[in-house]
Amino acid sequence: ATGTGVFTLESPATNTNRTLTLPDEAGTVLTTAGVPSSAMPAGSVLQVVQGTTATQTTTTSNSFQSTGLTASITPSSASNKVLVIATSTFVGTTLTDVITAIFRGDTSTGTNVSGSNLSTKYNSQASENASVTNQYLDSPSTTSSQTYTFAFKSSASGQAAVAQSASITAVMILMEIAA
């Protein structure tokens, strides 16, 4: 066998005999630097990013507006996916529902990747705060930084919809998933 590396074994600090068996296989060596993301198996979580806001935001529009909750991630490979999980508290008036969506980019030039999700139920007496979580597994197909936006709108133009109602902290988690 030939090689150029150095392999050092040191004896343990006890009188106990130990056996070290090395496999006769090629592969990735785990070091104190960790495992490179390119060596991780499909489905592995490669990185996690979090964004938060507690700023209450109101809209009367029936077009999607940002809740103010965003987070950005830079995928390490164009074939990897990004799992987006966004949670906030919403309330609408007695005449409207709040509808939510996840955008890649902003609400004016970005892409609605999750579709529309009915978030709060119409209540003829009074709307109540509702904690809403949207999840979407996105395939951005790039290694450029991607910003995700949690968006909302009123189901009836002119009727108020409120995000981060009662100034409860909203959270977005982005996870890069190995392809």
Side-chain angles (χ1 to χ4, degrees):
T2 62
T4 59
V6 175
F7 186 80
T8 304
L9 290 177
E10 295 183 18
S11 61
T14 66
N15 292 333
T16 304
N17 291 331
R18 309 226 189 263
T19 302
L20 175 63
T21 305
L22 299 175
D24 188 16
E25 296 179 24
T28 301
V29 175
L30 180 61
T31 67
T32 56
V35 178
S37 61
S38 59
M40 297 293 286
S44 297
V45 176
L46 304 179
Q47 63 173 310
V48 178
V49 176
Q50 176 180 285
T52 64
T53 185
T55 303
Q56 185 170 296
T57 305
T58 302
T59 187
T60 57
S61 175
N62 61 352
S63 296
F64 280 111
Q65 309 295 316
S66 174
T67 62
L69 179 60
T70 64
S72 298
I73 193 168
T74 303
S76 59
S77 169
S79 60
N80 291 345
K81 297 184 181 302
V82 175
L83 178 60
V84 183
I85 304 169
T87 301
S88 185
T89 304
F90 296 91
V91 67
T93 67
T94 58
L95 301 175
T96 188
D97 294 325
V98 178
I99 300 170
T100 60
I102 295 170
F103 279 70
R104 184 185 329 118
D106 61 34
T107 56
S108 60
T109 61
T111 302
N112 178 346
V113 294
S114 68
S116 298
N117 298 292
L118 183 62
S119 297
T120 63
K121 192 75 173 127
Y122 174 80
N123 181 331
S124 62
Q125 298 302 311
S127 291
E128 297 176 355
N129 289 331
S131 180
V132 175
T133 299
N134 286 20
Q135 302 176 46
Y136 185 75
L137 184 61
D138 189 30
S139 300
S141 301
T142 184
T143 56
S144 297
S145 178
Q146 299 296 297
T147 298
Y148 291 88
T149 301
F150 198 24
F152 75 126
K153 66 181 180 178
S154 172
S155 65
S157 184
Q159 297 297 313
V162 180
Q164 289 84 245
S165 52
S167 297
I168 296 171
T169 299
V171 178
M172 179 180 285
I173 298 172
L174 305 178
M175 291 186 251
E176 181 183 6
I177 309 296

